[in-house]
Amino acid sequence: SALRDKFGMPDFSAWPQHSAYDAQSVAKTFAPDSPDRETYDYYCYVQYLLHTQLSDVAAHARRSGVVLKGDIPIGISRCSVEAWTEPHYFNLRGSAGAPPDAFSLTGQNWGFPTYNWDAMAAEKYAWWKRRFRKLREQVDIIRIDHFRGFESYWSVDGKAKTALNGTWLKGPGKAFFDAI
C-alpha cells in the first residue's frame, strides 16, 4: 500500500522501482533510517489493528455460540501483493471470466489473472493452504466463490476488452481438494 501510494498507482508492473519483487530490496525500504519508514509503519499498524480486531470478534462469536461464515474468492487482483510477490503462481497475461451467454453477448472479462496450476500443484497447493488457514482463524465455515473454477475456467487474453475469444481450460479438479 505504501508503494502504491508513493508511485500513485496500484499496478506494480508500472512502478519505477520494485516493479519486480525483490525481498532484499524491499526490506531496505523498511530500514530504520528509511525516509518512508513512517508511512510503512502506518500500514503495518493498520494491518495489525485489523488482524487483532477480527481475531477478537471471531473469539467473541465462538464464545457466544455464533458460527461465522466467510468467503474465499477464487480470483485475486492482478495488482495484489500476491501477484507482486509470487507471480510464478499466476498467469498475469491472462484473465478469468465467463463465455458469451444470454446475460452478456460479449462474455465477461473479470480482469483477474488465472492460476498457474502446474506451479501450484508442484508445491502441493501450499499457497492455497496458507490462504485457507489464515481465513479459518476468523471463520468457521468457508464458502469458495466461483468454486467451478477449480474444475475448469474461461480464460481470456488479459488485454482483451471482451471475453468473446476466450477458451475453457482445465482446472486441477479433484487433485486440488485431495491435496488440501
Side-chain angles (χ1 to χ4, degrees), residues 11-48:
D11 182 1
F12 57 85
S13 68
W15 291 347
Q17 299 170 308
H18 309 298
S19 61
Y21 179 74
D22 174 52
Q24 290 180 326
S25 175
V26 171
K28 288 178 186 174
T29 66
F30 280 87
D33 60 344
S34 168
D36 297 318
R37 181 60 192 244
E38 188 173 309
T39 301
Y40 299 136
D41 286 349
Y42 167 77
Y43 282 110
C44 290
Y45 183 65
V46 168
Q47 287 292 312
Y48 167 77

Side-chain angles (χ1 to χ4, degrees), residues 31-138:
D33 60 344
S34 168
D36 297 318
R37 181 60 192 244
E38 188 173 309
T39 301
Y40 299 136
D41 286 349
Y42 167 77
Y43 282 110
C44 290
Y45 183 65
V46 168
Q47 287 292 312
Y48 167 77
L49 287 178
L50 176 61
H51 172 75
T52 57
Q53 289 171 356
L54 284 172
S55 297
D56 290 348
V57 167
H60 178 74
R62 288 177 177 133
R63 283 192 307 272
S64 302
V66 174
V67 175
L68 298 176
K69 181 187 100 170
D71 278 10
I72 193 163
I74 193 170
I76 65 152
S77 168
R78 69 180 57 257
C79 296
S80 68
V81 71
E82 293 91 349
W84 180 50
T85 60
E86 301 177 284
H88 61 286
Y89 287 140
F90 309 100
N91 172 12
L92 295 171
R93 285 184 229 107
S95 180
D101 59 16
F103 299 104
S104 175
L105 298 178
T106 58
Q108 299 174 45
N109 183 345
W110 297 327
F112 52 80
T114 57
Y115 290 99
N116 178 347
W117 289 117
D118 291 337
M120 290 192 163
E123 295 182 17
K124 298 183 170 76
Y125 303 100
W127 183 87
W128 276 98
K129 289 177 185 177
R130 287 192 308 270
R131 234 179 147 199
F132 278 108
R133 192 171 29 251
K134 190 65 182 169
L135 185 56
R136 287 278 294 143
E137 290 177 10
Q138 273 89 30

